[in-house]
């Protein structure tokens, strides 16, 4: 992060669209494996698999480090500030301000990802002054493409991102949402 990039506030809690997005806490460690140790999350995201108690500790520590550095925000998705249902992430990168998310399998189908992405995008626009946020998705990930379109993102005419993660090749499309 350059010295010109402002840091994140020490405490970030976003309340909108029937959600409370808040920092992960020590009390959340026990819930994290049930949210992230799932074949869909292992396949479509870079989140480590299997996701056990040690992975939860590592993820919490890394989230705190990235927040302190001003590089990324990883917030628990809740409806009331209590039990986490998933995660939404905002990452500052040279290619832009990227959002990401993962919803625990028991909590899908409630519009949590769409609402969390919209809330985080509004935070990026209103508090960080960015003009566009992006999502990088595999075209075959129908659920994530549905989230992108429902949240108002459009497919951008930019080169595909090709790589390999966990021994699996991937091709990512870039979707963008502009400040309105």
């Amino acid at each position: 992060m350059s010295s010109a990039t402002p840091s994140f506030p020490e405490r970030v809690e976003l309340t909108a669209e029937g959600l409370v997005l808040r920092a992960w806490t020590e009390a959340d460690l026990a819930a994290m494996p049930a949210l992230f140790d799932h074949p869909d999350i292992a396949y479509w995201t870079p989140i480590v698999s299997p996701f056990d108690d040690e992975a939860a500790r590592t993820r919490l520590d890394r989230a705190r480090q990235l927040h302190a550095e001003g590089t990324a925000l990883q917030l628990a998705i809740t409806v009331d500030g209590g039990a986490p249902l998933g995660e939404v992430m905002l990452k500052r990168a040279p290619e832009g301000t990227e959002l990401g998310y993962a919803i625990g399998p028991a909590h899908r189908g409630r519009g949590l990802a769409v609402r969390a992405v919209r809330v985080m995008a509004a935070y990026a626009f209103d508090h960080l002054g960015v003009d566009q946020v992006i999502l990088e998705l595999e075209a075959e990930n129908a659920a994530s493409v549905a989230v992108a379109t429902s949240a108002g993102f459009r497919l951008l005419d930019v080169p595909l991102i090709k790589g390999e993660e966990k021994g699996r090749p991937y091709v990512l499309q870039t979707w963008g949402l502009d400040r309105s």
Side-chain angles (χ1 to χ4, degrees), residues 19-42:
L19 299 177
V20 177
L21 308 180
R22 59 158 178 82
W24 289 100
T25 68
E26 299 288 325
D28 297 324
L29 287 170
M32 291 172 82
L35 297 174
F36 300 132
D37 190 35
H38 189 270
D40 288 347
I41 291 175

Side-chain angles (χ1 to χ4, degrees), residues 43-107:
Y43 188 82
W44 296 115
T45 77
I47 294 174
V48 67
S49 177
F51 195 97
D52 56 15
D53 292 341
E54 182 180 339
R57 168 50 65 195
T58 300
R59 190 161 185 85
L60 175 63
D61 292 346
R62 183 75 173 140
R64 288 175 172 168
Q65 177 188 358
L66 294 173
H67 182 142
E69 293 171 356
T71 303
L73 284 176
Q74 291 170 243
L75 301 178
I77 300 169
T78 77
V79 293
D80 57 5
L85 310 174
E87 176 179 86
V88 64
M89 177 269 306
L90 178 149
K91 180 174 74 173
R92 292 173 164 155
E95 58 275 4
T97 302
E98 181 183 350
L99 303 182
Y101 53 86
I103 304 298
H107 310 292

Side-chain angles (χ1 to χ4, degrees), residues 2-18:
S2 79
S3 59
T5 303
S7 62
F8 295 119
E10 186 175 324
R11 183 174 183 273
V12 176
E13 183 172 288
L14 309 176
T15 303
E17 297 212 26

Side-chain angles (χ1 to χ4, degrees), residues 23 34 38 49 63 67 82 91 96 104 106 113-114 117 126 130 145 153 169-170 176 180:
H38 189 270
S49 177
H67 182 142
K91 180 174 74 173
V114 171
V117 164
D126 298 343
V130 303
V145 170
F153 285 71
Y170 64 79
S180 44

Side-chain angles (χ1 to χ4, degrees), residues 74-161:
Q74 291 170 243
L75 301 178
I77 300 169
T78 77
V79 293
D80 57 5
L85 310 174
E87 176 179 86
V88 64
M89 177 269 306
L90 178 149
K91 180 174 74 173
R92 292 173 164 155
E95 58 275 4
T97 302
E98 181 183 350
L99 303 182
Y101 53 86
I103 304 298
H107 310 292
R108 295 178 184 164
R110 299 168 46 188
L112 295 168
V114 171
R115 292 184 284 152
V117 164
R118 285 194 302 238
V119 172
M120 192 66 100
Y123 175 79
F125 297 143
D126 298 343
H127 297 279
L128 303 180
V130 303
D131 293 323
Q132 183 182 67
V133 293
I134 61 172
L135 293 169
E136 295 175 344
L137 312 171
E138 292 185 64
E140 297 81 19
N141 187 344
S144 282
V145 170
V147 167
T149 56
S150 294
F153 285 71
R154 63 184 169 75
L155 185 59
L156 301 178
D157 187 18
V158 297
L160 297 172
I161 301 163

